[in-house]
Structure formats: structure tokens, C-alpha cells
Amino acid sequence: MADRALRGMQIGSKSMESEDGVVFADRYTVKYACPNGHVFEMPLSVEATAPPTWGCRCGTTAELVGEAPEDTETKPAKPVRTHWDMLCERRSLEELEVVLNEQLTAYREGRLRPEGHYRKS
């Protein structure tokens, strides 16, 4: 039994696993440069699109140098949906007018407080 003991081994800090048989993800490297002269490279997955800017260690924003691989196809950008757009998806303008009139009546009667407290104490 003493032959198998892990003497002097720090069990929590070292892994007994090896990298045999592990297939690593394909990667490519992109280069960024900041206005302060720092140049650094970042490895990215081939499935990822390189962002045009990256935060530098000095706190400034570094710009992408060169071009990222063009293997990935560009997705069309979704239009920005405002709160009004989402509200109009759920209710018609007639329903919104009814709700607005109900809320204005409640406010004028003092059932709603301007601070946002909607329950009377």
C-alpha cells in the first residue's frame, strides 16, 4: 500500500490528466494595435468573427490590424426594436388609447402617486 501513496503530491493543485487524444479547436490569430504603441495578438476560434476593437492592457481601445479571415459569412444586422415597437406588437393603437385613458383617470383621481408608488398605504 505504501508503494501507491502519492507522497509529496499536492492533490488539489495538479492534474493527473494528460492531453492525449484531445482534439483542440481550430484557431487563427488576429493582431491589434493601440494608440500607445502596444501591439498584441489574440487567438480566436475559426467560427468566431474578430471584433474591430479590443481593450488594451493600458486601458485604451486597440484597433484590428489587417483583415480577419473571410471564411465566415456576414449576417445581416437585425433592426433595433424600440420599446414602442414591442408594445405595438402586443396591443393595437385602440387598446393602447384605452389603457392610457384608464391610467390618466386614475392619476387625476389620486389613485396613482407621481413617485411611482401605486398602492395606497
Side-chain angles (χ1 to χ4, degrees):
M1 177 132 176
D3 300 350
R4 296 178 169 173
L6 297 174
R7 293 180 185 241
M9 183 73 170
Q10 298 172 352
I11 300 291
S13 66
K14 299 192 183 204
S15 173
M16 301 299 285
E17 296 180 12
S18 69
E19 295 179 356
D20 295 339
V22 176
V23 178
F24 294 105
D26 294 330
R27 300 190 181 278
Y28 69 97
T29 305
V30 292
K31 189 181 287 189
Y32 290 92
C34 84
N36 294 337
H38 300 123
V39 177
F40 57 94
E41 295 180 345
M42 296 299 300
L44 298 175
S45 170
V46 294
E47 298 173 356
T49 304
T53 60
W54 196 280
C56 183
R57 63 181 175 188
C58 66
T60 60
T61 302
E63 299 290 328
L64 180 64
V65 176
E67 291 292 323
E70 297 296 327
D71 295 338
T72 59
E73 52 196 51
T74 57
K75 296 179 183 176
K78 290 184 179 179
V80 177
R81 287 176 41 197
T82 63
H83 179 71
W84 179 252
D85 294 333
M86 291 184 273
L87 192 60
C88 288
E89 290 174 6
R90 293 191 305 267
R91 298 183 185 231
S92 67
L93 290 177
E94 293 81 20
E95 289 176 317
L96 290 173
E97 285 182 22
V98 170
V99 172
L100 175 63
N101 289 330
E102 288 174 0
Q103 292 295 310
L104 287 174
T105 303
Y107 179 73
R108 289 178 184 133
E109 292 174 355
R111 291 185 285 147
L112 299 180
R113 297 182 186 171
E115 304 92 34
H117 302 285
Y118 298 110
R119 294 186 181 155
K120 287 192 175 185
S121 303

